[in-house]
Amino acid sequence: MSNKENMQFIPVVDLFAGPGGLNEGFSHKIKGKLRFKSVLSVEKEAPEHLTLSLRAFYRFFLYHDMPVPKEYYDYIQRTSNISRVELWKLYPEAAAEADQEALQYTLGTEDGPHGFSFLEDKIRRALKNEKNWLLIGGPPCQAYSLVGRAKQLGELKKTEGSVSEAEEKFYQDHRHKLYRQYLRILAVFSPAVFVMENVKGILSAKLGRDPIFPKILADLRTPHTSAKEYGWESNSNHTYHIFSFVTGTEPDKISDYLIKSENYGIPQARHRVILLGVRDDIWKVIGPKVGSLKVKKRTSVSDAIGKLPVLRSGFTHREDSLEAWKSYLAAIIKEKYFSEFSNEVKEAIRKYTQQRESFSAGRCSQESYENDKNLLDGWYCDSSLKYYLNHETRAHMASDLYRYLYVATEGELQSRSPQLKDFPDGLLPDHKNVIKKTEKKTKIEQKFADRFKVQIWGKPSSTITSHISKDGHYFIHPDPVQCRSLTVREAARLQTFPDNYFFEGNRTQQYHQVGNAVPPFLANQLSQIVYDIFERISAKDSNE
């Protein structure tokens, strides 16, 4: 480990990095003489890569115990006309390190000038001969996702002609095998510790007709053996012991690898499989048990986003003014189906209409930033911020605003999100998969029954996914007065990104980044467990 100002840095390489949620959690300083330092973040998508390099620029100053420059905040808050190019020119050392750390690269590329040897060289240069380092990351999860699996199989059945042919083609999906790229790095470089994340669907996914998870565990335990099977080179015969962050042991039940984020202070019911691999020689030092996650008080949607500035939704294909918006929402009482609402709902909607009369908020936050030091012990805070980042509403179809209003009202009254079966027929979307009460298909199960889903103030949110980039129907804001879906910043809050974390790209790309990330506050708790392992390695090395 390299020394600088009495701090020992533990190199971190992040594969399939996305916007850097996992890396962000590990990058926060922990008390002691060690600190994780991101040296390489590998991601193929351009917007994510820009986000990663900007965050690497920011962290440069933290690693060197220097104040983050004012121009960085000017750039992310758009309080001046400074461009990214100008920011890079002002701080060339930080820019050079950021550009070196963030690598736009497609894992799985075998041939050509940017084949595996290119990545191998990048990793060697980043590690600088350090043997005890940390590998983190999560292979793309669409092929393992329970929802994604069902959707893809359904589409393939239409084109392939038979269930068996559809399943065979689905299980040949290259994304089933992307974890092997992670495995290949283990075989070549043998890091001291690795952390691998994926969706819970990986526990039940199959490759062909065989469960894939036992094969993944076997590969990760003996990467050198697997390297021979796949025709790769291996530089050592190291094996790995794979621990559960929940139990702190090598579990007998694969379900012990599943982490339920809401149990650890995350304001979101996000369930993910996260593995902790420890190299055999390190395992001999630390023994058969490591630290484990400690259950925390639950954090609700209200805790996470309840104090953010209120904003109105926007209109598509019509005048998008505040007065037009108010007038349109008030007119719901004239709709024929309004009489079908319960008296409680009707009374509440009338109340929200009256509250909206004095409503003056726009679609983009103009309010000054306020530190909330009580929220997760100040995890989100940055006193250098003047405004909230990425906090702007999207525009919605006018008809969807009535649905949002109804769903948010029911959510507030019943503390649950209503399903399509609860909607009056006149409020249902005109879609071939939607079954109305007046139709004679009552015995057919309603598909996508929670197509419009409101988050509930007093509970953790549902899982923030990349689908939020397509529409806001599954992520409706709980305040019926605002009548909208979540902003990028609100989704980022539910994912526990610090408030100074800026997402590059257009708004759709920003949503996609947030939905694909690991919650940084959860990652930070994982980092403390991993830190203890490296601290024991360091203590052993000091005594020899």
Side-chain angles (χ1 to χ4, degrees):
M1 300 176 190
S2 58
N3 281 289
K4 188 175 180 69
E5 298 175 356
N6 298 320
M7 177 65 68
Q8 290 180 293
F9 287 112
I10 306 164
V12 179
V13 173
D14 188 4
L15 303 182
F16 307 104
L22 190 57
N23 208 338
E24 176 67 13
F26 275 84
S27 296
H28 280 243
K29 193 172 184 179
I30 299 174
K31 290 182 179 179
K33 292 185 178 181
L34 306 180
R35 180 168 187 171
F36 293 109
K37 185 179 189 293
S38 179
V39 296
L40 192 66
S41 296
V42 184
E43 170 56 42
K44 70 174 184 175
E45 301 294 345
E48 282 85 339
H49 172 254
L50 288 173
T51 297
L52 288 169
S53 61
L54 181 65
R55 197 61 178 180
F57 177 91
Y58 166 84
R59 282 198 293 259
F60 171 88
F61 300 96
L62 303 187
Y63 292 148
H64 293 81
D65 291 324
M66 298 164 60
V68 179
K70 173 183 177 296
E71 291 86 353
Y72 168 81
Y73 290 97
D74 288 341
Y75 173 74
I76 64 175
Q77 296 177 118
R78 305 301 195 249
T79 51
S80 76
N81 292 324
I82 187 171
S83 69
R84 184 180 172 115
V85 172
E86 291 168 329
L87 181 63
W88 253 233
K89 286 181 179 178
L90 285 172
Y91 299 94
E93 190 178 356
E97 190 162 307
D99 289 340
Q100 186 176 9
E101 179 192 328
L103 174 64
Q104 188 178 1
Y105 174 85
T106 302
L107 282 137
T109 304
E110 303 294 335
D111 303 315
H114 290 85
F116 183 76
S117 60
F118 170 82
L119 177 61
E120 191 175 358
D121 181 63
K122 289 286 186 180
I123 295 175
R124 289 192 193 284
R125 290 174 181 270
L127 292 176
K128 298 177 180 177
N129 296 317
E130 179 57 61
K131 301 301 181 184
N132 290 334
W133 59 282
L134 172 66
L135 177 67
I136 63 175
C141 61
Q142 295 97 323
Y144 303 140
S145 163
L146 297 174
V147 175
R149 195 187 317 168
K151 183 178 179 181
Q152 291 173 67
L153 278 170
E155 291 174 351
L156 285 170
K157 286 172 188 175
K158 295 177 184 178
T159 59
E160 298 302 315
S162 73
V163 173
S164 60
E165 290 174 345
E167 288 181 343
E168 184 172 349
K169 188 168 183 178
F170 170 75
Y171 291 125
Q172 290 173 352
D173 190 324
H174 73 284
R175 290 173 295 184
H176 282 298
K177 302 174 183 177
L178 279 175
Y179 88 92
R180 292 181 186 173
Q181 302 305 315
Y182 191 103
L183 176 67
R184 191 171 186 177
I185 302 301
L186 290 178
V188 173
F189 290 97
S190 300
V193 179
F194 72 80
V195 175
M196 193 178 96
E197 180 264 355
N198 219 293
V199 293
K200 68 178 181 180
I202 198 173
L203 296 177
S204 56
K206 293 181 179 181
L207 188 59
R209 296 296 178 268
D210 299 320
I212 196 171
F213 192 64
K215 173 60 176 171
I216 289 175
L217 287 178
D219 281 347
L220 294 173
R221 285 179 176 129
T222 57
H224 61 284
T225 301
S226 302
K228 294 177 184 177
E229 178 183 344
Y230 301 131
W232 306 329
E233 292 184 4
S234 176
N235 293 341
S236 77
N237 290 326
H238 279 298
T239 60
Y240 286 86
H241 293 261
I242 304 179
F243 292 85
S244 159
F245 279 106
V246 176
T247 66
T249 61
E250 297 180 70
D252 295 323
K253 300 183 298 180
I254 62 173
S255 59
D256 285 338
Y257 289 116
L258 186 68
I259 296 177
K260 297 181 178 181
S261 299
E262 67 271 27
N263 292 337
Y264 307 104
I266 312 303
Q268 178 190 174
R270 190 181 194 90
H271 298 172
R272 291 293 186 264
V273 172
I274 307 184
L275 311 178
L276 169 60
V278 179
R279 200 173 64 209
D280 50 7
D281 58 321
I282 307 298
W283 178 82
K284 291 177 181 177
V285 174
I286 66 170
K289 190 170 178 61
V290 298
S292 58
L293 291 168
K294 302 296 186 289
V295 174
K296 293 182 179 293
K297 178 184 176 182
R298 289 206 171 188
T299 307
S300 69
V301 170
S302 178
D303 296 328
I305 69 172
K307 294 180 181 178
L308 290 180
V310 298
L311 301 172
R312 73 169 180 89
S313 51
F315 275 135
T316 55
H317 311 304
R318 60 166 59 210
E319 180 188 354
D320 188 19
S321 68
L322 177 59
E323 291 309 314
W325 177 79
K326 290 181 189 177
S327 177
Y328 176 80
L329 289 172
I332 191 175
I333 63 174
K334 299 177 183 178
E335 296 290 334
K336 291 182 180 179
Y337 55 73
F338 186 75
S339 62
E340 298 180 47
F341 292 153
S342 69
N343 290 334
E344 192 177 24
V345 170
K346 286 188 283 189
E347 182 181 343
I349 287 177
R350 289 192 179 97
K351 178 188 72 174
Y352 299 135
T353 297
Q354 293 171 356
Q355 291 179 9
R356 210 175 283 114
E357 287 177 0
S358 59
F359 197 83
S360 60
R363 292 182 54 194
C364 184
S365 172
Q366 301 296 321
E367 293 187 26
S368 297
Y369 178 78
E370 293 186 12
N371 280 314
D372 188 352
K373 294 182 179 179
N374 294 322
L375 180 56
L376 299 185
D377 296 325
W379 172 261
Y380 295 93
C381 293
D382 186 340
S383 58
S384 295
L385 286 173
K386 294 181 179 178
Y387 307 104
Y388 292 90
L389 310 179
N390 307 114
H391 189 43
E392 180 180 2
T393 66
R394 71 208 318 171
H396 301 294
M397 292 174 54
S399 57
D400 281 336
L401 292 192
Y402 283 164
R403 298 181 183 109
Y404 286 14
L405 175 57
Y406 166 70
V407 169
T409 301
E410 284 279 24
E412 188 159 89
L413 293 172
Q414 306 298 333
S415 294
R416 66 171 181 84
S417 185
Q419 296 187 324
L420 288 184
K421 66 181 181 180
D422 301 311
F423 283 48
D425 277 0
L427 192 60
L428 288 169
D430 185 14
H431 193 280
K432 62 182 180 181
N433 287 330
V434 174
I435 304 169
K436 296 183 178 181
K437 295 184 178 71
T438 53
E439 293 177 343
K440 296 181 180 180
K441 301 177 182 177
T442 53
K443 292 185 179 180
I444 300 176
E445 185 178 352
Q446 183 76 269
K447 294 182 179 179
F448 307 109
D450 56 353
R451 181 187 297 268
F452 295 90
K453 188 168 187 175
V454 66
Q455 304 306 315
I456 305 302
W457 280 124
K459 301 178 181 179
S461 76
S462 56
T463 305
I464 305 297
T465 66
S466 60
H467 184 84
I468 195 173
S469 66
K470 297 182 178 181
D471 61 53
H473 298 344
Y474 289 97
F475 306 98
I476 299 171
H477 194 283
D479 182 6
V481 175
Q482 299 181 57
C483 198
R484 60 178 177 81
S485 61
L486 300 177
T487 66
V488 171
R489 179 49 49 192
E490 287 163 341
R493 274 278 185 110
L494 296 174
Q495 280 277 56
T496 65
F497 277 96
D499 288 339
N500 61 16
Y501 209 103
F502 183 78
F503 298 92
E504 294 277 20
N506 62 40
R507 190 165 61 231
T508 297
Q509 293 166 337
Q510 292 166 8
Y511 277 120
H512 191 269
Q513 291 175 60
V514 173
N516 274 340
V518 175
F521 187 67
L522 176 64
N524 182 250
Q525 294 172 68
L526 305 180
S527 78
Q528 294 175 50
I529 294 170
V530 178
Y531 180 91
D532 289 342
I533 296 173
F534 278 95
E535 196 170 45
R536 292 164 74 178
I537 299 171
S538 178
K540 177 180 179 296
D541 291 344
S542 299
N543 292 329
E544 290 182 349

